[in-house]
Every structure is written in C-alpha cells, then in structure tokens.
Tab-separated table of all heavy atoms in Angstrom:
chain	number	residue	atom	x	y	z
A	1	ARG	N	3.948	8.127	18.667
A	1	ARG	CA	4.570	7.222	17.650
A	1	ARG	C	3.602	6.934	16.569
A	1	ARG	O	2.386	6.762	16.751
A	1	ARG	CB	5.006	5.931	18.369
A	1	ARG	CG	6.049	6.024	19.398
A	1	ARG	CD	6.374	4.722	20.012
A	1	ARG	NE	7.463	4.756	21.023
A	1	ARG	CZ	7.321	4.953	22.357
A	1	ARG	NH1	6.042	5.088	22.812
A	1	ARG	NH2	8.352	5.056	23.120
A	2	PRO	N	4.041	6.819	15.268
A	2	PRO	CA	3.154	6.479	14.169
A	2	PRO	C	2.665	5.105	14.383
A	2	PRO	O	3.421	4.154	14.700
A	2	PRO	CB	4.065	6.632	12.976
A	2	PRO	CG	5.495	6.503	13.474
A	2	PRO	CD	5.506	7.080	14.834
A	3	ALA	N	1.351	4.885	14.083
A	3	ALA	CA	0.775	3.584	14.223
A	3	ALA	C	0.867	2.808	12.838
A	3	ALA	O	0.763	3.463	11.749
A	3	ALA	CB	-0.625	3.685	14.611
A	4	ASP	N	1.167	1.530	12.919
A	4	ASP	CA	1.073	0.704	11.704
A	4	ASP	C	-0.379	0.484	11.409
A	4	ASP	O	-1.073	-0.098	12.369
A	4	ASP	CB	1.853	-0.605	11.902
A	4	ASP	CG	3.324	-0.333	11.918
A	4	ASP	OD1	3.845	0.543	11.335
A	4	ASP	OD2	4.013	-1.248	12.574
A	5	ILE	N	-0.859	0.830	10.240
A	5	ILE	CA	-2.301	0.708	9.912
A	5	ILE	C	-2.457	-0.141	8.630
A	5	ILE	O	-1.657	-0.069	7.689
A	5	ILE	CB	-2.993	1.988	9.785
A	5	ILE	CG1	-2.261	2.941	8.726
A	5	ILE	CG2	-2.991	2.746	11.109
A	5	ILE	CD1	-3.039	4.263	8.482
A	6	CYS	N	-3.483	-0.943	8.575
A	6	CYS	CA	-3.814	-1.826	7.534
A	6	CYS	C	-4.635	-1.040	6.446
A	6	CYS	O	-5.856	-1.309	6.261
A	6	CYS	CB	-4.510	-3.076	7.926
A	6	CYS	SG	-3.626	-3.958	9.246
A	7	VAL	N	-4.002	-0.075	5.756
A	7	VAL	CA	-4.607	0.773	4.767
A	7	VAL	C	-3.833	0.702	3.510
A	7	VAL	O	-2.531	0.600	3.574
A	7	VAL	CB	-4.680	2.213	5.285
A	7	VAL	CG1	-5.187	3.187	4.236
A	7	VAL	CG2	-5.622	2.322	6.447
A	8	TYR	N	-4.499	0.727	2.413
A	8	TYR	CA	-3.777	0.555	1.134
A	8	TYR	C	-3.239	1.813	0.533
A	8	TYR	O	-4.030	2.778	0.339
A	8	TYR	CB	-4.783	-0.045	0.106
A	8	TYR	CG	-4.092	-0.666	-1.093
A	8	TYR	CD1	-3.387	-1.834	-1.054
A	8	TYR	CD2	-4.127	-0.003	-2.342
A	8	TYR	CE1	-2.820	-2.470	-2.122
A	8	TYR	CE2	-3.511	-0.571	-3.462
A	8	TYR	CZ	-2.918	-1.778	-3.393
A	8	TYR	OH	-2.244	-2.384	-4.417
A	9	PHE	N	-1.921	1.944	0.507
A	9	PHE	CA	-1.302	3.107	-0.122
A	9	PHE	C	-0.456	2.649	-1.403
A	9	PHE	O	0.558	3.265	-1.738
A	9	PHE	CB	-0.277	3.741	0.842
A	9	PHE	CG	-0.986	4.313	2.063
A	9	PHE	CD1	-0.910	3.647	3.304
A	9	PHE	CD2	-1.686	5.520	1.992
A	9	PHE	CE1	-1.559	4.184	4.438
A	9	PHE	CE2	-2.287	6.078	3.077
A	9	PHE	CZ	-2.258	5.311	4.394
A	10	GLY	N	-0.970	1.511	-1.958
A	10	GLY	CA	-0.213	0.925	-3.112
A	10	GLY	C	0.482	-0.307	-2.641
A	10	GLY	O	0.938	-0.396	-1.510
A	11	GLU	N	0.609	-1.304	-3.536
A	11	GLU	CA	1.169	-2.572	-3.217
A	11	GLU	C	2.673	-2.392	-2.846
A	11	GLU	O	3.097	-3.038	-1.869
A	11	GLU	CB	1.092	-3.502	-4.433
A	11	GLU	CG	1.363	-4.888	-4.110
A	11	GLU	CD	0.419	-5.563	-3.097
A	11	GLU	OE1	-0.756	-5.208	-3.058
A	11	GLU	OE2	0.850	-6.449	-2.325
A	12	ALA	N	3.415	-1.586	-3.593
A	12	ALA	CA	4.775	-1.450	-3.306
A	12	ALA	C	5.064	-0.863	-1.924
A	12	ALA	O	5.922	-1.366	-1.202
A	12	ALA	CB	5.526	-0.578	-4.375
A	13	TYR	N	4.325	0.165	-1.594
A	13	TYR	CA	4.491	0.790	-0.187
A	13	TYR	C	4.049	-0.159	0.836
A	13	TYR	O	4.738	-0.279	1.882
A	13	TYR	CB	3.648	2.024	-0.100
A	13	TYR	CG	3.828	2.707	1.248
A	13	TYR	CD1	4.960	3.500	1.499
A	13	TYR	CD2	2.919	2.578	2.301
A	13	TYR	CE1	5.129	4.124	2.690
A	13	TYR	CE2	3.107	3.155	3.495
A	13	TYR	CZ	4.278	3.905	3.697
A	13	TYR	OH	4.433	4.480	4.920
A	14	GLY	N	2.979	-0.944	0.665
A	14	GLY	CA	2.492	-1.898	1.689
A	14	GLY	C	3.473	-2.988	1.978
A	14	GLY	O	3.564	-3.490	3.129
A	15	GLN	N	4.302	-3.297	0.973
A	15	GLN	CA	5.313	-4.429	1.215
A	15	GLN	C	6.691	-3.844	1.419
A	15	GLN	O	7.680	-4.554	1.433
A	15	GLN	CB	5.262	-5.306	0.029
A	15	GLN	CG	3.947	-6.032	-0.298
A	15	GLN	CD	3.396	-6.682	0.962
A	15	GLN	OE1	4.144	-7.428	1.691
A	15	GLN	NE2	2.141	-6.397	1.231
A	16	GLY	N	6.768	-2.513	1.587
A	16	GLY	CA	8.075	-1.966	1.870
A	16	GLY	C	9.071	-1.927	0.705
A	16	GLY	O	10.296	-1.893	0.844
A	17	ARG	N	8.479	-1.964	-0.555
A	17	ARG	CA	9.380	-2.076	-1.691
A	17	ARG	C	9.410	-0.744	-2.529
A	17	ARG	O	10.090	-0.676	-3.542
A	17	ARG	CB	8.795	-3.187	-2.587
A	17	ARG	CG	8.908	-4.570	-2.074
A	17	ARG	CD	8.540	-5.625	-3.092
A	17	ARG	NE	7.098	-5.732	-3.244
A	17	ARG	CZ	6.444	-5.264	-4.298
A	17	ARG	NH1	7.110	-4.600	-5.184
A	17	ARG	NH2	5.118	-5.409	-4.343
A	18	GLY	N	8.709	0.260	-2.093
A	18	GLY	CA	8.724	1.503	-2.881
A	18	GLY	C	7.872	2.538	-2.295
A	18	GLY	O	7.270	2.353	-1.192
A	19	PRO	N	7.741	3.719	-2.908
A	19	PRO	CA	6.927	4.839	-2.398
A	19	PRO	C	5.453	4.518	-2.528
A	19	PRO	O	4.973	3.581	-3.224
A	19	PRO	CB	7.298	6.004	-3.299
A	19	PRO	CG	7.745	5.360	-4.593
A	19	PRO	CD	8.383	3.997	-4.170
A	20	ALA	N	4.684	5.394	-1.813
A	20	ALA	CA	3.187	5.209	-1.911
A	20	ALA	C	2.715	5.563	-3.316
A	20	ALA	O	3.200	6.427	-3.988
A	20	ALA	CB	2.585	6.148	-0.896
A	21	GLN	N	1.643	4.929	-3.629
A	21	GLN	CA	0.942	5.183	-4.874
A	21	GLN	C	0.149	6.489	-4.759
A	21	GLN	O	-0.233	6.907	-3.660
A	21	GLN	CB	0.008	4.028	-5.233
A	21	GLN	CG	-0.629	4.074	-6.652
A	21	GLN	CD	-1.554	2.920	-6.842
A	21	GLN	OE1	-2.227	2.454	-5.940
A	21	GLN	NE2	-1.604	2.390	-8.079
A	22	ALA	N	-0.062	7.180	-5.915
A	22	ALA	CA	-0.771	8.459	-5.855
A	22	ALA	C	-2.134	8.294	-5.263
A	22	ALA	O	-2.809	7.225	-5.466
A	22	ALA	CB	-0.900	9.037	-7.254
A	23	ILE	N	-2.589	9.267	-4.450
A	23	ILE	CA	-3.840	9.228	-3.858
A	23	ILE	C	-4.976	8.960	-4.908
A	23	ILE	O	-5.073	9.619	-5.864
A	23	ILE	CB	-4.191	10.523	-3.038
A	23	ILE	CG1	-3.202	10.572	-1.903
A	23	ILE	CG2	-5.559	10.607	-2.628
A	23	ILE	CD1	-3.240	11.921	-1.147
A	24	GLY	N	-5.852	8.033	-4.538
A	24	GLY	CA	-7.022	7.729	-5.426
A	24	GLY	C	-6.750	6.845	-6.609
A	24	GLY	O	-7.699	6.398	-7.248
A	25	GLU	N	-5.486	6.429	-6.856
A	25	GLU	CA	-5.191	5.537	-7.990
A	25	GLU	C	-5.507	4.120	-7.572
A	25	GLU	O	-5.441	3.713	-6.388
A	25	GLU	CB	-3.733	5.678	-8.368
A	25	GLU	CG	-3.240	6.954	-8.918
A	25	GLU	CD	-3.938	7.229	-10.232
A	25	GLU	OE1	-4.056	6.340	-11.049
A	25	GLU	OE2	-4.376	8.478	-10.453
A	26	GLN	N	-5.966	3.346	-8.618
A	26	GLN	CA	-6.286	1.949	-8.340
A	26	GLN	C	-5.360	0.980	-8.990
A	26	GLN	O	-4.636	1.219	-9.967
A	26	GLN	CB	-7.759	1.655	-8.876
A	26	GLN	CG	-8.839	2.391	-8.152
A	26	GLN	CD	-10.198	1.993	-8.631
A	26	GLN	OE1	-10.379	1.499	-9.778
A	26	GLN	NE2	-11.165	2.198	-7.784
A	27	GLU	N	-5.260	-0.251	-8.324
A	27	GLU	CA	-4.438	-1.321	-8.883
A	27	GLU	C	-4.955	-2.656	-8.207
A	27	GLU	O	-5.703	-2.548	-7.181
A	27	GLU	CB	-3.033	-1.166	-8.696
A	27	GLU	CG	-2.587	-1.145	-7.236
A	27	GLU	CD	-1.078	-1.062	-7.053
A	27	GLU	OE1	-0.324	-0.982	-8.029
A	27	GLU	OE2	-0.641	-0.936	-5.891
A	28	ARG	N	-4.557	-3.724	-8.751
A	28	ARG	CA	-4.825	-5.034	-8.126
A	28	ARG	C	-3.840	-5.286	-7.075
A	28	ARG	O	-2.616	-5.116	-7.288
A	28	ARG	CB	-4.859	-6.165	-9.119
A	28	ARG	CG	-5.962	-6.037	-10.210
A	28	ARG	CD	-5.784	-7.013	-11.271
A	28	ARG	NE	-6.174	-8.319	-10.888
A	28	ARG	CZ	-5.990	-9.470	-11.595
A	28	ARG	NH1	-5.399	-9.376	-12.805
A	28	ARG	NH2	-6.313	-10.664	-11.156
A	29	ASN	N	-4.277	-5.761	-5.919
A	29	ASN	CA	-3.259	-6.192	-4.921
A	29	ASN	C	-2.697	-7.589	-5.261
A	29	ASN	O	-3.107	-8.215	-6.319
A	29	ASN	CB	-3.935	-6.135	-3.535
A	29	ASN	CG	-4.991	-7.182	-3.264
A	29	ASN	OD1	-5.008	-8.179	-3.973
A	29	ASN	ND2	-5.850	-6.942	-2.265
A	30	ARG	N	-1.780	-7.985	-4.478
A	30	ARG	CA	-1.021	-9.269	-4.846
A	30	ARG	C	-1.989	-10.485	-4.750
A	30	ARG	O	-1.557	-11.565	-5.201
A	30	ARG	CB	0.158	-9.412	-3.975
A	30	ARG	CG	-0.153	-9.492	-2.446
A	30	ARG	CD	1.205	-9.756	-1.751
A	30	ARG	NE	1.111	-9.416	-0.333
A	30	ARG	CZ	1.940	-9.933	0.577
A	30	ARG	NH1	3.017	-10.621	0.176
A	30	ARG	NH2	1.836	-9.601	1.835
A	31	TYR	N	-3.216	-10.379	-4.265
A	31	TYR	CA	-4.137	-11.506	-4.251
A	31	TYR	C	-5.163	-11.382	-5.327
A	31	TYR	O	-6.023	-12.300	-5.445
A	31	TYR	CB	-4.748	-11.590	-2.804
A	31	TYR	CG	-3.714	-11.617	-1.725
A	31	TYR	CD1	-3.623	-10.547	-0.792
A	31	TYR	CD2	-2.753	-12.616	-1.649
A	31	TYR	CE1	-2.645	-10.550	0.170
A	31	TYR	CE2	-1.807	-12.584	-0.629
A	31	TYR	CZ	-1.735	-11.606	0.233
A	31	TYR	OH	-0.736	-11.576	1.209
C-alpha cells in the first residue's frame, strides 16, 4: 500500500486541492 509521507510536492497537492508541483520548483507554504 502507498504510504502517506510528509514530503512537499507543492501546496495544492499537499492539501488535496490540485496536482503536484513540478519537481524542483519552489514556493512558500501556507505558513
């Protein structure tokens, strides 16, 4: 089974609101 992991794939993906951000791209998280 896939494990839920606390890794950043973009803010939208992390909150279940959209696809993963491109590999290596940066942005500010919600905090």
